[in-house]
Amino acid sequence: MSTFLATPDRTDFVPFQPTDEQARFLLGLFELDPVTGRRRYRRAVISRPKGWGKSPLLSAWIIAESLAPVVPDGWDAHGQPVARPWAELRTPWAQVCATSAEQTANAWVPLLEMIRGGSVVDEYDLDPMDTFIAMPKGRIEPVTAAATSREGNRPIACLLDQTESWLPANGGVRLAATLRRNLGKTGGVSVEAPNAYFPGLESVAEDSARYWSAIQEGRTQGDDGLLYDHREAPGDTELDDDESLLNGLRIAYGDSASDAGGWVDLRRIMAEVRDPGTDPQDARAFYLGQITHAKGSWVTSPQWNAVADATKYLSYGDTVTLGFDGSVRDDSTALVACRVDDGHLELLACWEKPLVRDDEWSVPGLEVDAAVAAAMQRFRVIGFYADPPYWETYVDRWNSLYGRKMRVGHRSHPLEWKTNQPSQMEEALKRFLTAVLGGQLSHDGGSQLTRHILNARRRLSATGKLAIGKDPQFPSKKIDAAMAAVLAFECRADALATGKGRIRKSNGFRAQRAI
């Protein structure tokens, strides 16, 4: 890339040189599986704010995929990987894809400049025309056609530009699925280059983020062929505070920021963020890389990220309260613990239907029962709120086993806490949200609990009380872990309010003493 390509948007020739940050992404993209010798990733996402340099980087990548020796071809005598170009296997056909001609130009114009301004034209005998790049064998072309016209093509590489705007309504979701099917025929690779997506629009970028979460949570049955590289400013970045905003921009732009020797003038970006014509949510998405919130969100991503603390974790013997919300088949089931002394939340277990279709799947009751028993052994549990529907038998059993040890809850049924009681549910939701906004709770940043929290939508009960529920348009987006977290935190609040949450040391463990 650096030898044969020019940097775009320059009056004089400057060789293309990726930043260290961009080079790390490229190294990851070409990583090999040491067992099979094949490339590890079949899909990738590089999500960065506007102006970071996604288009030149991925223009360089797709040129390299088309011309350079990138197809693994075994190992040499020293154990180093060797490769050959696609042209030795098949006709290399690469595509720069978007949902409109204007959008495609974001990547296509820099690509033409990088080829025409460098020595790659002579070295590889290219003919860079406005509508496609002709190679001695194969071509690189822009794609904006409907998904149906792309079915059956056999590309070796596809650049999917600005996938935060690839939606079901404009055919983007269908186009992405078609392109990936076509790449599957050749063993090719796709790379997405989105800005931060807006949750709830069901864009291709949002779907890829959801897929990455599923990989992290082990719900893809061993499939980990997605390289996901997203960076955003801290959740507590304040747009009207100079120091906070500048720090957030430095983190979001990384090596591309002027403060790090890059080309992005952060002071100018600050002015754009604060321009009265810039919507604050747009500013956070486009310049800070923050995935904000969908319409009707209960908790936004920046709010939840602001109370994430990966340095905190629950330890054996901690005094905690538990929350449980369950289902049987299509919904998920979750168990959450909340440490009493500081309000730190941890998802202990969550059972969700696998992404691979399985009509026989149901929540494994014995595993749930075992997880509850394990929590009782691991922690000093002083309260446990469980929503009983579908799990009445288990809740009754837990009451009989653990009820006498609970310091909060109804005297006869200390574990039972019904979420269908509008007034008490509203109070619990308000208390939880107030704690998030005030930094009075924390979590470890785990993807599964985060996903459930951000899936929750505000709604009103029949009596006009605040409630949360799933997005009715997308019922597959579960919120059970969010409800379990609310119950665990509410149980802690009740313990503190009744004076039963005071901590003392006993036998080397944190213990609970009623006042």
mmCIF file of all heavy atoms in Angstrom, residues 151-177:
data_model
loop_
_atom_site.group_PDB
_atom_site.id
_atom_site.type_symbol
_atom_site.label_atom_id
_atom_site.label_comp_id
_atom_site.label_asym_id
_atom_site.label_seq_id
_atom_site.Cartn_x
_atom_site.Cartn_y
_atom_site.Cartn_z
ATOM 1 N N GLU A 151 -27.282 -10.751 -6.824
ATOM 2 C CA GLU A 151 -27.312 -12.184 -6.508
ATOM 3 C C GLU A 151 -26.584 -12.959 -7.605
ATOM 4 O O GLU A 151 -26.777 -12.732 -8.795
ATOM 5 C CB GLU A 151 -28.755 -12.672 -6.413
ATOM 6 C CG GLU A 151 -28.910 -14.024 -5.771
ATOM 7 C CD GLU A 151 -28.661 -13.984 -4.279
ATOM 8 O OE1 GLU A 151 -29.440 -13.334 -3.562
ATOM 9 O OE2 GLU A 151 -27.684 -14.623 -3.835
ATOM 10 N N GLY A 152 -25.712 -13.867 -7.178
ATOM 11 C CA GLY A 152 -24.995 -14.704 -8.123
ATOM 12 C C GLY A 152 -23.606 -14.219 -8.466
ATOM 13 O O GLY A 152 -22.822 -14.956 -9.064
ATOM 14 N N ASN A 153 -23.268 -12.978 -8.122
ATOM 15 C CA ASN A 153 -21.913 -12.495 -8.366
ATOM 16 C C ASN A 153 -20.918 -13.259 -7.487
ATOM 17 O O ASN A 153 -21.290 -13.838 -6.471
ATOM 18 C CB ASN A 153 -21.818 -10.991 -8.071
ATOM 19 C CG ASN A 153 -22.585 -10.154 -9.082
ATOM 20 O OD1 ASN A 153 -22.920 -10.638 -10.163
ATOM 21 N ND2 ASN A 153 -22.871 -8.917 -8.727
ATOM 22 N N ARG A 154 -19.652 -13.205 -7.873
ATOM 23 C CA ARG A 154 -18.637 -13.966 -7.138
ATOM 24 C C ARG A 154 -17.456 -13.060 -6.781
ATOM 25 O O ARG A 154 -16.339 -13.245 -7.277
ATOM 26 C CB ARG A 154 -18.179 -15.162 -7.969
ATOM 27 C CG ARG A 154 -19.308 -16.126 -8.315
ATOM 28 C CD ARG A 154 -18.849 -17.221 -9.259
ATOM 29 N NE ARG A 154 -17.926 -18.142 -8.611
ATOM 30 C CZ ARG A 154 -18.303 -19.193 -7.891
ATOM 31 N NH1 ARG A 154 -19.595 -19.429 -7.701
ATOM 32 N NH2 ARG A 154 -17.406 -19.996 -7.355
ATOM 33 N N PRO A 155 -17.670 -12.060 -5.920
ATOM 34 C CA PRO A 155 -16.591 -11.146 -5.558
ATOM 35 C C PRO A 155 -15.611 -11.789 -4.573
ATOM 36 O O PRO A 155 -15.948 -12.743 -3.861
ATOM 37 C CB PRO A 155 -17.327 -9.976 -4.900
ATOM 38 C CG PRO A 155 -18.540 -10.619 -4.298
ATOM 39 C CD PRO A 155 -18.942 -11.712 -5.261
ATOM 40 N N ILE A 156 -14.406 -11.239 -4.514
ATOM 41 C CA ILE A 156 -13.415 -11.706 -3.535
ATOM 42 C C ILE A 156 -13.288 -10.712 -2.384
ATOM 43 O O ILE A 156 -12.708 -11.035 -1.347
ATOM 44 C CB ILE A 156 -12.045 -11.956 -4.198
ATOM 45 C CG1 ILE A 156 -11.586 -10.745 -5.018
ATOM 46 C CG2 ILE A 156 -12.118 -13.193 -5.081
ATOM 47 C CD1 ILE A 156 -10.702 -9.787 -4.284
ATOM 48 N N ALA A 157 -13.812 -9.492 -2.538
ATOM 49 C CA ALA A 157 -13.756 -8.492 -1.479
ATOM 50 C C ALA A 157 -14.860 -7.469 -1.704
ATOM 51 O O ALA A 157 -15.105 -7.054 -2.840
ATOM 52 C CB ALA A 157 -12.398 -7.802 -1.452
ATOM 53 N N CYS A 158 -15.522 -7.067 -0.619
ATOM 54 C CA CYS A 158 -16.558 -6.042 -0.692
ATOM 55 C C CYS A 158 -16.354 -5.041 0.431
ATOM 56 O O CYS A 158 -16.232 -5.425 1.604
ATOM 57 C CB CYS A 158 -17.954 -6.648 -0.569
ATOM 58 S SG CYS A 158 -18.476 -7.658 -1.966
ATOM 59 N N LEU A 159 -16.309 -3.761 0.076
ATOM 60 C CA LEU A 159 -16.287 -2.678 1.043
ATOM 61 C C LEU A 159 -17.705 -2.153 1.195
ATOM 62 O O LEU A 159 -18.304 -1.677 0.229
ATOM 63 C CB LEU A 159 -15.347 -1.568 0.571
ATOM 64 C CG LEU A 159 -15.441 -0.213 1.276
ATOM 65 C CD1 LEU A 159 -15.275 -0.356 2.779
ATOM 66 C CD2 LEU A 159 -14.416 0.751 0.707
ATOM 67 N N LEU A 160 -18.259 -2.237 2.395
ATOM 68 C CA LEU A 160 -19.615 -1.783 2.689
ATOM 69 C C LEU A 160 -19.504 -0.462 3.436
ATOM 70 O O LEU A 160 -19.178 -0.430 4.625
ATOM 71 C CB LEU A 160 -20.371 -2.814 3.537
ATOM 72 C CG LEU A 160 -20.902 -4.074 2.844
ATOM 73 C CD1 LEU A 160 -19.799 -4.883 2.190
ATOM 74 C CD2 LEU A 160 -21.663 -4.946 3.839
ATOM 75 N N ASP A 161 -19.745 0.637 2.729
ATOM 76 C CA ASP A 161 -19.475 1.960 3.293
ATOM 77 C C ASP A 161 -20.703 2.515 4.011
ATOM 78 O O ASP A 161 -21.835 2.387 3.541
ATOM 79 C CB ASP A 161 -19.038 2.911 2.178
ATOM 80 C CG ASP A 161 -18.356 4.156 2.721
ATOM 81 O OD1 ASP A 161 -17.726 4.067 3.784
ATOM 82 O OD2 ASP A 161 -18.454 5.212 2.077
ATOM 83 N N GLN A 162 -20.469 3.153 5.162
ATOM 84 C CA GLN A 162 -21.501 3.848 5.941
ATOM 85 C C GLN A 162 -22.714 2.961 6.219
ATOM 86 O O GLN A 162 -23.857 3.343 5.955
ATOM 87 C CB GLN A 162 -21.928 5.136 5.234
ATOM 88 C CG GLN A 162 -20.833 6.196 5.207
ATOM 89 C CD GLN A 162 -21.318 7.510 4.634
ATOM 90 O OE1 GLN A 162 -21.361 7.700 3.411
ATOM 91 N NE2 GLN A 162 -21.694 8.420 5.511
ATOM 92 N N THR A 163 -22.465 1.794 6.766
ATOM 93 C CA THR A 163 -23.558 0.837 6.969
ATOM 94 C C THR A 163 -24.513 1.244 8.070
ATOM 95 O O THR A 163 -25.536 0.574 8.269
ATOM 96 C CB THR A 163 -23.005 -0.560 7.267
ATOM 97 O OG1 THR A 163 -22.038 -0.480 8.329
ATOM 98 C CG2 THR A 163 -22.355 -1.166 6.028
ATOM 99 N N GLU A 164 -24.225 2.330 8.802
ATOM 100 C CA GLU A 164 -25.227 2.830 9.758
ATOM 101 C C GLU A 164 -26.467 3.343 9.036
ATOM 102 O O GLU A 164 -27.541 3.490 9.641
ATOM 103 C CB GLU A 164 -24.627 3.917 10.655
ATOM 104 C CG GLU A 164 -24.535 5.302 10.047
ATOM 105 C CD GLU A 164 -23.339 5.480 9.120
ATOM 106 O OE1 GLU A 164 -22.572 4.503 8.924
ATOM 107 O OE2 GLU A 164 -23.144 6.594 8.594
ATOM 108 N N SER A 165 -26.336 3.625 7.723
ATOM 109 C CA SER A 165 -27.484 4.092 6.940
ATOM 110 C C SER A 165 -28.027 3.018 5.993
ATOM 111 O O SER A 165 -28.897 3.298 5.178
ATOM 112 C CB SER A 165 -27.100 5.343 6.143
ATOM 113 O OG SER A 165 -26.067 5.058 5.220
ATOM 114 N N TRP A 166 -27.534 1.781 6.095
ATOM 115 C CA TRP A 166 -28.087 0.667 5.317
ATOM 116 C C TRP A 166 -29.267 0.099 6.107
ATOM 117 O O TRP A 166 -29.076 -0.621 7.098
ATOM 118 C CB TRP A 166 -27.030 -0.417 5.111
ATOM 119 C CG TRP A 166 -25.911 -0.060 4.189
ATOM 120 C CD1 TRP A 166 -25.282 1.131 4.061
ATOM 121 C CD2 TRP A 166 -25.260 -0.947 3.278
ATOM 122 N NE1 TRP A 166 -24.284 1.059 3.120
ATOM 123 C CE2 TRP A 166 -24.241 -0.211 2.629
ATOM 124 C CE3 TRP A 166 -25.424 -2.294 2.958
ATOM 125 C CZ2 TRP A 166 -23.403 -0.775 1.675
ATOM 126 C CZ3 TRP A 166 -24.580 -2.848 2.012
ATOM 127 C CH2 TRP A 166 -23.595 -2.109 1.366
ATOM 128 N N LEU A 167 -30.468 0.406 5.694
ATOM 129 C CA LEU A 167 -31.667 0.086 6.463
ATOM 130 C C LEU A 167 -32.567 -0.878 5.698
ATOM 131 O O LEU A 167 -32.435 -1.038 4.478
ATOM 132 C CB LEU A 167 -32.440 1.370 6.762
ATOM 133 C CG LEU A 167 -31.651 2.529 7.391
ATOM 134 C CD1 LEU A 167 -32.539 3.759 7.522
ATOM 135 C CD2 LEU A 167 -31.081 2.123 8.735
ATOM 136 N N PRO A 168 -33.525 -1.516 6.374
ATOM 137 C CA PRO A 168 -34.499 -2.343 5.654
ATOM 138 C C PRO A 168 -35.272 -1.536 4.612
ATOM 139 O O PRO A 168 -35.553 -2.030 3.522
ATOM 140 C CB PRO A 168 -35.421 -2.842 6.768
ATOM 141 C CG PRO A 168 -34.584 -2.807 8.004
ATOM 142 C CD PRO A 168 -33.682 -1.615 7.841
ATOM 143 N N ALA A 169 -35.571 -0.271 4.932
ATOM 144 C CA ALA A 169 -36.401 0.531 4.042
ATOM 145 C C ALA A 169 -35.708 0.888 2.736
ATOM 146 O O ALA A 169 -36.367 1.022 1.691
ATOM 147 C CB ALA A 169 -36.841 1.818 4.764
ATOM 148 N N ASN A 170 -34.377 1.077 2.740
ATOM 149 C CA ASN A 170 -33.680 1.451 1.504
ATOM 150 C C ASN A 170 -32.988 0.276 0.834
ATOM 151 O O ASN A 170 -32.191 0.457 -0.099
ATOM 152 C CB ASN A 170 -32.689 2.592 1.756
ATOM 153 C CG ASN A 170 -31.581 2.224 2.739
ATOM 154 O OD1 ASN A 170 -31.322 1.055 2.979
ATOM 155 N ND2 ASN A 170 -30.941 3.242 3.305
ATOM 156 N N GLY A 171 -33.272 -0.927 1.284
ATOM 157 C CA GLY A 171 -32.713 -2.122 0.668
ATOM 158 C C GLY A 171 -31.317 -2.475 1.132
ATOM 159 O O GLY A 171 -30.726 -3.449 0.652
ATOM 160 N N GLY A 172 -30.772 -1.701 2.096
ATOM 161 C CA GLY A 172 -29.414 -1.940 2.535
ATOM 162 C C GLY A 172 -29.210 -3.272 3.236
ATOM 163 O O GLY A 172 -28.201 -3.946 3.028
ATOM 164 N N VAL A 173 -30.167 -3.664 4.073
ATOM 165 C CA VAL A 173 -30.045 -4.930 4.810
ATOM 166 C C VAL A 173 -30.044 -6.102 3.840
ATOM 167 O O VAL A 173 -29.242 -7.037 3.958
ATOM 168 C CB VAL A 173 -31.179 -5.059 5.841
ATOM 169 C CG1 VAL A 173 -31.188 -6.453 6.468
ATOM 170 C CG2 VAL A 173 -31.034 -3.994 6.928
ATOM 171 N N ARG A 174 -30.927 -6.033 2.858
ATOM 172 C CA ARG A 174 -30.997 -7.104 1.866
ATOM 173 C C ARG A 174 -29.726 -7.155 1.016
ATOM 174 O O ARG A 174 -29.209 -8.232 0.689
ATOM 175 C CB ARG A 174 -32.225 -6.892 0.989
ATOM 176 C CG ARG A 174 -32.513 -8.044 0.036
ATOM 177 C CD ARG A 174 -33.746 -7.747 -0.768
ATOM 178 N NE ARG A 174 -34.040 -8.824 -1.702
ATOM 179 C CZ ARG A 174 -34.926 -8.731 -2.677
ATOM 180 N NH1 ARG A 174 -35.611 -7.610 -2.848
ATOM 181 N NH2 ARG A 174 -35.151 -9.748 -3.492
ATOM 182 N N LEU A 175 -29.209 -5.964 0.647
ATOM 183 C CA LEU A 175 -27.991 -5.901 -0.150
ATOM 184 C C LEU A 175 -26.814 -6.520 0.603
ATOM 185 O O LEU A 175 -26.035 -7.297 0.035
ATOM 186 C CB LEU A 175 -27.681 -4.458 -0.514
ATOM 187 C CG LEU A 175 -26.370 -4.193 -1.276
ATOM 188 C CD1 LEU A 175 -26.327 -4.979 -2.575
ATOM 189 C CD2 LEU A 175 -26.198 -2.698 -1.539
ATOM 190 N N ALA A 176 -26.672 -6.202 1.893
ATOM 191 C CA ALA A 176 -25.570 -6.752 2.691
ATOM 192 C C ALA A 176 -25.642 -8.268 2.756
ATOM 193 O O ALA A 176 -24.627 -8.967 2.614
ATOM 194 C CB ALA A 176 -25.588 -6.156 4.096
ATOM 195 N N ALA A 177 -26.852 -8.798 2.952
ATOM 196 C CA ALA A 177 -27.010 -10.252 3.019
ATOM 197 C C ALA A 177 -26.630 -10.908 1.698
ATOM 198 O O ALA A 177 -25.987 -11.965 1.667
ATOM 199 C CB ALA A 177 -28.451 -10.597 3.398
#
